[in-house]
Amino acid sequence: MDYKITVSIVYYDTDFNVFSETVNSLLNSSCVSRIYIVNNSGGEIPQYDDGGRIEIITPDRNIGFGAGHNLIIRDRYDILGDYHLICNPDVYFDGDVTRNLAVFMDSNPDAGLAVPKVLSVNGENQYAAKLLPTPADLAVRMFHQYLPDSFVERFNRLYELQDYSGDKSLRTGNLSGCFMFLRKSVLKKSGFFDERFFILMEDIDFSRRINTAAGSYYVPSVFIYHHRGRGSYKYFKQRMIHINSAIKYFNKWGWVFDSERKSVNRSLISVLGSS
């Protein structure tokens, strides 16, 4: 089957060599019909031999991750493909990835979102699927360097679902935002990115809303590579942004009482016990 897949990338000061890997991976995919680049940096970005498939949108300021993607998935909704890819500017992959995810979506009509296995450039698993976080979970993630290594390892083993070794898809409301393969029609049910989140936590909020409206799936049989710095855990400014986003997230979904979180996490832990 021929697919027409549209893509949006929000670019902000990514190394040009890394960014070019992303763009070339998309251009080498025959399924990708249109690539929208939202240039939040405001400066010049490289030009590519794109066959007319790339459109660059430059806001008058850095509007953030979710708002940048909303310029495409909300404001250009009527001209998106049946499937749309939200893609970070620091990933790369082979040309079959987008087709394979489209085939998965065709085979799973309840799926609104599919996220592949995400590997670092040296092949380590970045664990794209996780439990829905509690405030305590995020505190451990942000301040892990002050905690015993053995405790952090046990915590990450569960929170990152590290014991899930199967190749079958796994449904969860917390999926990485670096490569989100969407069924266009689900956006009418789930809504678009919540622009209260400038950056960080918006992917959890987005994927759990899609999981409620349809289904958000981790698809480990398909994989991509991702350059990642995890700056929000290393640098003070990014950590403060992360804390601010976390406060907005828990104000929205609940700090202590979150019945959906409890149900989703219980189901995931059950799957881990049987995998």
Side-chain angles (χ1 to χ4, degrees), residues 35-46:
I35 303 167
Y36 298 96
I37 300 173
V38 179
N39 180 13
N40 268 348
S41 291
E44 294 294 324
I45 61 175

Side-chain angles (χ1 to χ4, degrees), residues 118-134:
V118 180
L119 304 175
S120 66
V121 294
N122 61 6
E124 294 180 355
N125 195 338
Q126 292 188 355
Y127 301 109
K130 301 176 181 67
L131 297 177
L132 285 173
T134 66

Side-chain angles (χ1 to χ4, degrees), residues 1-3 5 29-31 95-104:
M1 179 182 293
D2 290 332
Y3 296 102
I5 298 165
S29 173
S30 60
C31 299
D96 290 332
V97 163
T98 52
R99 179 178 293 278
N100 289 342
L101 290 174
V103 169
F104 170 83

Side-chain angles (χ1 to χ4, degrees), residues 128-142 155-156 158-161 172-176 197 200-209 233 242 245-266 268-269:
K130 301 176 181 67
L131 297 177
L132 285 173
T134 66
D137 290 335
L138 287 189
V140 171
R141 300 277 284 179
M142 290 181 193
F155 165 82
N156 282 333
L158 177 61
Y159 180 71
E160 295 178 336
L161 308 175
T172 175
N174 183 358
L175 291 167
S176 170
F197 303 99
L200 301 172
M201 303 297 295
E202 75 290 313
D203 52 350
I204 305 177
D205 174 78
F206 189 56
S207 59
R208 76 175 288 177
R209 283 190 284 113
Y233 299 144
H242 201 165
S245 291
I247 290 170
K248 292 176 182 177
Y249 174 87
F250 290 117
N251 283 343
K252 178 177 182 177
W253 292 101
W255 290 77
V256 177
F257 301 106
D258 182 346
S259 59
E260 181 178 318
R261 176 177 68 203
K262 183 177 180 180
S263 175
V264 169
N265 288 352
R266 181 186 293 129
L268 286 167
I269 291 170

Side-chain angles (χ1 to χ4, degrees), residues 5 34 65-66 69 72 75 86 89 108 138 152-153 171 189 198 222 229 243 260 262:
I5 298 165
R34 191 74 169 165
F65 180 89
H69 283 291
I72 310 306
D75 298 354
I86 289 171
N108 296 271
L138 287 189
V152 174
E153 288 173 5
R171 183 171 178 174
K189 299 177 182 179
F198 179 78
V222 182
I243 290 172
E260 181 178 318
K262 183 177 180 180

Side-chain angles (χ1 to χ4, degrees), residues 85-99:
L85 172 63
I86 289 171
C87 184
N88 266 25
D90 59 350
V91 303
Y92 63 95
F93 51 92
D94 69 46
D96 290 332
V97 163
T98 52
R99 179 178 293 278

